[in-house]
Amino acid sequence: MDQNTNTAPQTGAEQATEPNIPTPAKAETTPEPKPEPKSEPVKAADTPTAEELAEFRKWQETQKTDAEKNAAAIGKAEKARDAAEARAAAAELKYTALSKGVTAEALDDVIALAKTKISDKVSAEQAIEDIVKKYPAFKGSTGTTGIDTLNNSPIMDTDDAKIRRVMGLPEKK
């Protein structure tokens, strides 16, 4: 019994016949859920007042367990520590850059470039030195001839005084 399943017409008297394949009964389909009716927009009268919100927050606090309160306090302390560490690292980078002779105008640029180079193998100081070597325009020109004048005397304008002025710290007495 050789059945031909080709659907293209053949030459001669024979034509292709499709095999009789039973079709499965339609599976039961679950009815689609009806869309929920749209709720009306929140009216101003439905919004709680500031006093009601404060009372609700107090109630929420009373419902927390000691472990939840401790976890929240620890989370706040960790966030504060991270922020303090970030500020300290930024101040250290500024100090390092200024001590390497970077001008106040180029300070942010040098720090941004240095952050891309800092890694486990490259310290912040090395990164800033490399940037200042590659881009000497970031470094302030000394402009001194070795002779102290009113404008370049070590007493009036030391590196430490420049750094303190740029960072907004009070001058040493």
Side-chain angles (χ1 to χ4, degrees):
M1 284 189 119
D2 194 21
Q3 288 188 353
N4 190 353
T5 57
N6 189 0
T7 57
Q10 295 180 355
T11 57
E14 289 185 25
Q15 286 197 358
T17 59
E18 292 185 23
N20 191 3
I21 300 174
T23 58
K26 276 192 171 178
E28 280 189 33
T29 58
T30 57
E32 292 187 25
K34 295 180 182 178
E36 295 180 18
K38 295 182 180 180
S39 61
E40 294 181 18
V42 178
K43 297 178 183 174
D46 293 341
T47 58
T49 63
E51 293 172 357
E52 291 172 334
L53 284 174
E55 288 177 22
F56 176 70
R57 288 188 181 112
K58 286 179 187 176
W59 175 81
Q60 279 182 324
E61 285 296 319
T62 61
Q63 300 302 312
K64 287 184 180 179
T65 65
D66 287 338
E68 289 172 331
K69 289 177 183 178
N70 288 341
I74 289 171
K76 284 182 183 180
E78 286 176 351
K79 285 181 184 177
R81 184 198 64 205
D82 291 343
E85 286 176 356
R87 284 193 308 271
E92 187 176 342
L93 276 174
K94 281 184 180 182
Y95 180 80
T96 303
L98 289 171
S99 66
K100 298 294 178 188
V102 175
T103 63
E105 294 83 24
L107 186 62
D108 292 333
D109 299 329
V110 170
I111 289 173
L113 291 171
K115 283 182 179 180
T116 62
K117 292 185 175 228
I118 296 173
S119 67
D120 292 339
K121 295 179 181 179
V122 179
S123 69
E125 189 171 335
Q126 291 170 336
I128 291 172
E129 285 177 3
D130 291 345
I131 291 166
V132 170
K133 284 179 187 175
K134 188 170 184 177
Y135 304 104
F138 287 147
K139 191 171 184 175
S141 62
T142 56
T144 61
T145 59
I147 300 172
D148 289 336
T149 62
L150 290 176
N151 291 335
N152 70 353
S153 70
I155 295 171
M156 294 195 61
D157 210 16
T158 63
D159 286 339
D160 189 49
K162 287 179 187 176
I163 292 169
R164 291 182 162 284
R165 187 172 50 251
V166 169
M167 293 185 73
L169 300 173
E171 291 186 29
K172 282 188 177 179
K173 293 179 181 173

